[in-house]
Amino acid sequence: MISSVWWEVAKLTASDGAIGDRFGHSVSWDYDTLVVGAPLATVDGDGDRGAAYIFRNVSGNTFSAGTKVTLSDGGAGDRVGLSVSTKNGNRALIGAPGRSAYQGAAYLFTESPVTWVRTLSLGSTAPHPNENFGVAVAMSSSLYGDTMWVGAPGTISAGLTTGSAQLFSYSSGGLLIIGAKLIPDAGTANEGFGASISLSMNGNQIAIGSPYATVDAISSAGCVRVYRAGANATASQVGVRFVSSAAQSNANLGFSVAIENDRLLAGAPYANMTNIDSGGVSSFRVKTTRGDINDSGRSDVVWFDPVNGSIAGWLMNGLVRESGATLNTGLGSTAEYCGLGDFFGDGKQCVLVRLKSSGIFKLFRLNGLSITSSSNISGGIGPEWRFLACADINGDGKSDVLLKHASTGQVNGWLMNGFTKTLGGTIGNADGREFLGTGDFDGNGTDDIFWRRLSEADHDTEPFV
């Protein structure tokens, strides 16, 4: 794209393409590598055995001839390549949902000096025919290994065919960990959960589509659920399911999904928009519920006693207090409550406290009505630095800390990763301005700061980022 104009720079085809191969049914791109699925390709005489083609952008918009990837032990109807995902330019996750009477499978291929080789075979933890494991795949990578999600919309749970999504973690040392298996909360029969999956770039957010879900008694209106990755190969749901504000029968919202920086897009290919079945895309804003200390999707109440430094909490359900407890005692009268924030990016809140006697900031990690861990996140900070807010100022889904110097007006920020301050520095100067709050005023996924001028001649408000 140049000057807001898009045009085609390359057209890729299979060198051995044949009628009905469905080359291009699935695509994935990362770094200089493009993977394209052809799930109905005939291979060694087996119809619909399927294949994937891997292309390399060698220079500019010039691509190498595609390397064809197939299963040496494949068979008719495997539909290899119905879903594909690639990361770091040298690994590809490829679904084959038709394998073994539609029980399904997924395969990790790794680039070798000569070609691409199959290094890992993945299957359902409780396989059965028509589970369609591998209809959707998604992966993210780091220096430590690969995180892989595989959708199986035919999974049976509690007597209902609701679908599932399975997490696998594959370390750089070759250790495979079978992680969370997600079953939709309040799932409906044949909703197709796992028919589509998208990961954010860092793998912390997972969007999973259920295009055939019943919503408010409207059949196949479709929905999407969002999860946040946790420690030890786990994931927890963020809020409730995302549905259209004007649900339509057979719209199939969630047929395709994409998520990044708390922005969720969901395709509804059969929605009646400009015409019958013209289709549409819904955009949602995904944000951790403020004050939610048990990851229920509902705000709770946190109390702080300035006399003895105790922290207490109430778990709320609308106007009903379901339970409450004192979380800790003994901080003393020099402790000052600062605020709540999701410092770990796991959908759960932490309490930030400042010890006025030493200037140390201390963070308490909550899990419902208990404190799971705590740590000092700073040394002694002088009293001239006033705490402003816990806010996500870099869009990574984790709360950061904002401070203002009382005499100079200098505004500083600490970028946080759990208990660790990864970076600190000056954001700007707000001398003569009163802090009012934070919010994502421009919708770009990062919090902004809202100020009010204190000059007698001008009492308007203005955002200051």
Side-chain angles (χ1 to χ4, degrees), residues 24 49 77 95 145 168 179 197 233 299 301-302 305 322 375 399 401 458:
R49 183 165 163 178
F168 299 88
I197 302 177
S299 293
V301 177
V302 173
D305 186 341
E322 293 186 325
S375 177
S399 294
V401 177
D458 189 358

Side-chain angles (χ1 to χ4, degrees), residues 39-302:
L40 301 189
T42 297
V43 178
D44 295 336
D46 293 330
D48 298 350
R49 183 165 163 178
Y53 295 80
I54 303 178
F55 300 86
R56 183 80 74 188
N57 186 348
V58 292
S59 65
N61 296 314
T62 302
F63 286 80
S64 63
T67 299
K68 187 175 183 179
V69 171
T70 61
L71 296 180
S72 59
D73 57 350
D78 283 351
R79 301 199 173 194
V80 174
L82 191 79
S83 58
V84 297
S85 182
T86 185
K87 277 297 175 185
N88 289 351
N90 61 0
R91 292 189 289 282
L93 183 62
I94 300 174
R99 185 88 162 156
S100 304
Y102 287 92
Q103 175 179 304
Y107 302 91
L108 179 66
F109 286 80
T110 304
E111 186 181 29
S112 72
V114 178
T115 184
W116 289 73
V117 297
R118 189 169 88 189
T119 55
L120 195 63
S121 300
L122 304 176
S124 172
T125 54
H128 62 82
N130 300 312
E131 190 170 7
N132 283 283
F133 182 90
V135 158
V137 297
M139 67 182 303
S140 63
S141 295
S142 69
L143 293 174
Y144 308 104
D146 299 311
T147 297
M148 299 170 287
W149 286 92
V150 182
T155 297
I156 299 174
S157 175
L160 295 178
T161 305
T162 57
S164 69
Q166 180 71 58
L167 167 63
F168 299 88
S169 178
Y170 188 57
S171 72
S172 55
L175 176 64
L176 175 65
I177 297 174
I178 300 176
K181 185 173 185 177
L182 302 180
I183 303 294
D185 183 41
T188 59
N190 302 309
E191 71 169 60
F193 178 82
S196 60
I197 302 177
S198 175
L199 302 182
S200 59
M201 186 174 297
N202 59 13
N204 287 341
Q205 294 173 305
I206 308 100
I208 303 176
S210 293
Y212 310 109
T214 297
V215 177
D216 295 332
I218 301 173
S219 62
S220 294
C223 70
V224 181
R225 293 175 178 83
V226 173
Y227 300 82
R228 192 174 296 277
N232 301 319
T234 61
S236 57
Q237 187 170 337
V238 178
V240 295
R241 59 183 185 172
F242 292 83
V243 300
S244 173
S245 58
Q248 299 178 15
S249 177
N250 300 313
N252 296 151
L253 181 79
F255 192 89
S256 57
V257 292
I259 190 168
E260 187 62 44
N261 287 335
D262 292 318
R263 179 78 66 185
L264 169 65
L265 298 177
Y270 300 105
N272 300 329
M273 304 301 290
T274 57
N275 215 323
I276 296 176
D277 292 348
S278 59
V281 177
S282 294
S283 176
F284 301 94
R285 187 77 178 146
V286 183
K287 209 63 169 168
T288 301
T289 304
R290 290 185 182 272
D292 180 10
I293 64 176
N294 65 338
D295 202 18
S296 66
R298 299 185 295 266
S299 293
D300 302 305
V301 177
V302 173

Side-chain angles (χ1 to χ4, degrees), residues 164-464:
S164 69
Q166 180 71 58
L167 167 63
F168 299 88
S169 178
Y170 188 57
S171 72
S172 55
L175 176 64
L176 175 65
I177 297 174
I178 300 176
K181 185 173 185 177
L182 302 180
I183 303 294
D185 183 41
T188 59
N190 302 309
E191 71 169 60
F193 178 82
S196 60
I197 302 177
S198 175
L199 302 182
S200 59
M201 186 174 297
N202 59 13
N204 287 341
Q205 294 173 305
I206 308 100
I208 303 176
S210 293
Y212 310 109
T214 297
V215 177
D216 295 332
I218 301 173
S219 62
S220 294
C223 70
V224 181
R225 293 175 178 83
V226 173
Y227 300 82
R228 192 174 296 277
N232 301 319
T234 61
S236 57
Q237 187 170 337
V238 178
V240 295
R241 59 183 185 172
F242 292 83
V243 300
S244 173
S245 58
Q248 299 178 15
S249 177
N250 300 313
N252 296 151
L253 181 79
F255 192 89
S256 57
V257 292
I259 190 168
E260 187 62 44
N261 287 335
D262 292 318
R263 179 78 66 185
L264 169 65
L265 298 177
Y270 300 105
N272 300 329
M273 304 301 290
T274 57
N275 215 323
I276 296 176
D277 292 348
S278 59
V281 177
S282 294
S283 176
F284 301 94
R285 187 77 178 146
V286 183
K287 209 63 169 168
T288 301
T289 304
R290 290 185 182 272
D292 180 10
I293 64 176
N294 65 338
D295 202 18
S296 66
R298 299 185 295 266
S299 293
D300 302 305
V301 177
V302 173
W303 297 94
F304 184 81
D305 186 341
V307 176
N308 58 29
S310 299
I311 302 172
W314 290 354
L315 299 184
M316 304 297 297
N317 185 358
L319 298 177
V320 177
R321 185 184 71 175
E322 293 186 325
S323 57
T326 299
L327 305 185
N328 101 301
T329 59
L331 292 178
S333 60
T334 65
E336 176 185 37
Y337 173 81
C338 293
L340 285 174
D342 181 10
F343 284 81
F344 288 82
D346 59 358
K348 300 177 182 178
Q349 300 292 304
C350 300
V351 176
L352 182 64
V353 173
R354 184 177 190 174
L355 305 178
K356 292 182 289 186
S357 58
S358 62
I360 290 174
F361 282 87
K362 192 177 187 70
L363 194 64
F364 295 86
R365 192 176 187 183
L366 305 185
N367 184 12
L369 295 176
S370 64
I371 294 175
T372 59
S373 57
S374 63
S375 177
N376 295 342
I377 65 171
S378 75
I381 306 297
E384 67 276 9
W385 284 102
R386 307 290 175 82
F387 170 81
L388 292 180
C390 301
D392 182 8
I393 60 176
N394 65 338
D396 65 352
K398 301 174 184 178
S399 294
D400 307 303
V401 177
L402 292 171
L403 305 166
K404 181 185 176 185
H405 197 281
S407 59
T408 67
Q410 180 179 324
V411 179
N412 279 11
W414 295 347
L415 299 184
M416 302 297 300
N417 181 14
F419 293 132
T420 304
K421 180 173 72 174
T422 60
L423 186 65
T426 301
I427 296 175
N429 190 284
D431 190 28
R433 290 180 172 91
E434 177 188 10
F435 172 75
L436 297 180
T438 61
D440 185 9
F441 293 97
D442 52 5
N444 68 347
T446 62
D447 285 329
D448 309 309
I449 309 175
F450 199 62
W451 305 95
R452 181 172 64 182
R453 286 181 180 168
L454 297 178
S455 64
E456 295 182 1
D458 189 358
H459 292 279
D460 66 338
T461 60
E462 61 175 348
F464 171 78

